[in-house]
Amino acid sequence: MTEKALQQLKTAETEKISHLDYFNIGITVDCVILGYEEKELKVQLIKSDMQEYSGLYSLPGDFIRPDEDLEAASYRVLKEKTGLDDVYLEQVRTFGNIFRHPSGRVITVAYYSLIDIKNHKLQTDLNELHWHPVNEIKKLAFDHKLILDTCLHRLRQQVMEHPVIFNLLPEKFSLRELQELYEAILGVELDRRNFRKKISIKDWLLDIDEMEHNVPHRPGKLYMLKKQFRNKSVKTGAVLQFA
Amino acid sequence: MTEKALQQLKTAETEKISHLDYFNIGITVDCVILGYEEKELKVQLIKSDMQEYSGLYSLPGDFIRPDEDLEAASYRVLKEKTGLDDVYLEQVRTFGNIFRHPSGRVITVAYYSLIDIKNHKLQTDLNELHWHPVNEIKKLAFDHKLILDTCLHRLRQQVMEHPVIFNLLPEKFSLRELQELYEAILGVELDRRNFRKKISIKDWLLDIDEMEHNVPHRPGKLYMLKKQFRNKSVKTGAVLQFA
DNA sequence: AATAAATATGTACTTATTACACATTAATTT
DNA sequence: AAATTAATGTGTAATAAGTACATATTTATT
């Protein structure tokens, strides 16, 4: 923003556009909270109780407080809705069409978060949020279907380049579980041998010399993500990548 | 955003957080306007006239008007600053740290734009913006260095996957010019033969059977980008890519 | 006419991707 | 206890993509 714009603002009360008008835009964060269960990618949704969208679900979100960073606002929403605070979270895009919200001008910054549904700290009873398989979602309140699709698109990009997918799995997992998760996110079938070769080349995994338990077939080996690849955000330091 | 948040807002005047507080956040767009000239990537900057940042340059930007879409706001800034309106423009990220702006709480949505410096419609005399080679920029006002770096990082990603780079070139260009542009953006040297092979495989270019003029060496052939690859935004339809 | 500087082009080598089959192990069934 | 089932675990050949590298050609300049 230029000084010119600020001057405009400071003297705005004497002009047509009033000072207040510039601040008459609400700004929120919306969170696409993703989990993985029963070979499906799922998202937390709440039933919209706005008349305009009765019967439709919407994404959890809230206004950004004037004394709160963007990331702090989305972490707060996450903590309120899931009880979790040490989670992967990434900004995706800001949505600001004039008529996107029936109650007035509201611009929203969309984040997506990846959590382990089996995390024992996860509390789903804090509110009226429930898991919904993303593939079954046809329509959402507001522009939330667009927001969801944009986040899923970004997730698919990230997954091909960075080890972010592990945030959706328990600490220990088998190669089969990992492959099924890739397949669920990318919507493709992968060849087991080629998949294992590719993962092996990445050198992300630690063989912890344990086996699966309670599976109705021959148990597979368990692995963990090496510590140096654990990420709570891809963006951390990312702008320095080419510096 | 949930209905609960709206309820909170509607009844806010009876509570500690006043209704006005929620709207007491300014929201702007900032534009990283990029061009290419003399084998260098350049960005349009204006000298900051804020006391806090005297002597430093900053990115062009402005407040979003209450009746204006996000994209409309950034197109408006672009049109005001360059006279151009048919340009490549893409949202990159929203920056909202509490103290990023000395005059108050201002959240900004960053866009980057790619323009052809030799476009005859370009008017650089509309304002006090000037081109600065991005590699020589060490410090900017506000958090604008971070915004610039984030946009450049995104540009480098896009360039590897999509034919966006052509927005920085005149309609007709030689393979040498194209290669030098890739080298400037990616900060690497490329092998001429391998580069040409890769470009040829992409099948982006139309051989228009013309040669360079006024070059102090053997002229090369000129090419154009095929029409179907002309993009004013990578995001157009992108969310449907995996649908 | 000679020189300089850039264009234009192809091949061998290495690395990555894809397609594909069989022996092994543990749980389950008979 | 033996047979069956269902998944794990592994390797190789074929193809495609990426990398390294040199020479003849064309135009402008000297």
Side-chain angles (χ1 to χ4, degrees), chain A residues 5 8 48 51 68-69 93 127 174 198:
Chain A
Q8 239 179 355
S48 174
Q51 276 191 343
E68 175 180 64
D69 282 344
R93 203 177 157 80
N127 48 68
S174 69
K198 219 177 214 173

Side-chain angles (χ1 to χ4, degrees), chain B residues 14 40 109 132 157 182 206:
Chain B
T14 62
E40 281 185 312
V109 185
H132 296 254
Q157 285 185 326
Y182 271 99
L206 202 62

Side-chain angles (χ1 to χ4, degrees), chain B residues 133-185:
Chain B
V134 296
N135 288 329
E136 294 171 15
I137 296 167
K138 302 284 172 263
K139 206 177 168 193
L140 293 174
F142 311 101
D143 53 358
H144 287 187
K145 182 66 161 71
L146 174 63
I147 293 176
L148 173 63
D149 287 346
T150 305
C151 287
L152 291 175
H153 182 249
R154 174 70 63 89
L155 172 62
R156 289 182 188 114
Q157 285 185 326
Q158 293 291 17
V159 144
M160 298 301 288
E161 298 178 353
H162 304 283
V164 299
I165 208 170
F166 302 94
N167 292 289
L168 289 164
L169 289 174
E171 197 177 28
K172 302 171 180 182
F173 50 85
S174 69
L175 291 176
R176 174 183 38 79
E177 289 175 297
L178 184 61
Q179 179 177 342
E180 284 169 354
L181 176 49
Y182 271 99
E183 290 174 332
I185 290 177

Side-chain angles (χ1 to χ4, degrees), chain B residues 215-229:
Chain B
V215 283
H217 52 75
R218 172 181 172 185
K221 289 175 92 168
L222 291 178
Y223 295 84
M224 283 174 64
L225 180 66
K226 287 183 179 174
K227 279 196 182 118
Q228 64 261 41
F229 297 111

Side-chain angles (χ1 to χ4, degrees), chain A residues 1 3 6 21 23 25-26 30 49-50 62-63 65-69 91 94 97-98 101 105 150 239, chain B residues 1 3 5-6 21 23 25-26 30 49-50 63 65-69 91 94 97-98 101 105 150 239:
Chain A
M1 186 181 51
E3 174 62 14
L6 267 178
D21 275 349
F23 290 99
I25 301 180
D30 283 317
D49 47 5
M50 291 198 77
D62 198 3
F63 281 94
R65 296 183 178 160
D67 59 348
E68 175 180 64
D69 282 344
Q91 192 193 113
T94 295
N97 284 351
I98 306 178
H101 201 294
R105 182 71 197 276
T150 306
V239 292
Chain B
M1 186 180 52
E3 175 62 13
L6 268 178
D21 275 349
F23 289 99
I25 302 180
D30 283 317
D49 47 5
M50 291 199 76
F63 281 93
R65 297 183 179 162
D67 59 348
E68 177 180 62
D69 281 344
Q91 192 193 113
T94 295
N97 283 353
I98 306 178
H101 201 294
R105 183 70 198 276
T150 305
V239 292

Side-chain angles (χ1 to χ4, degrees), chain B residues 18-37:
Chain B
S18 84
H19 182 118
L20 267 180
D21 275 349
Y22 273 119
F23 289 99
N24 202 13
I25 302 180
I27 177 154
T28 61
V29 290
D30 283 317
C31 293
V32 173
I33 304 171
L34 297 169
Y36 173 68
E37 198 179 35

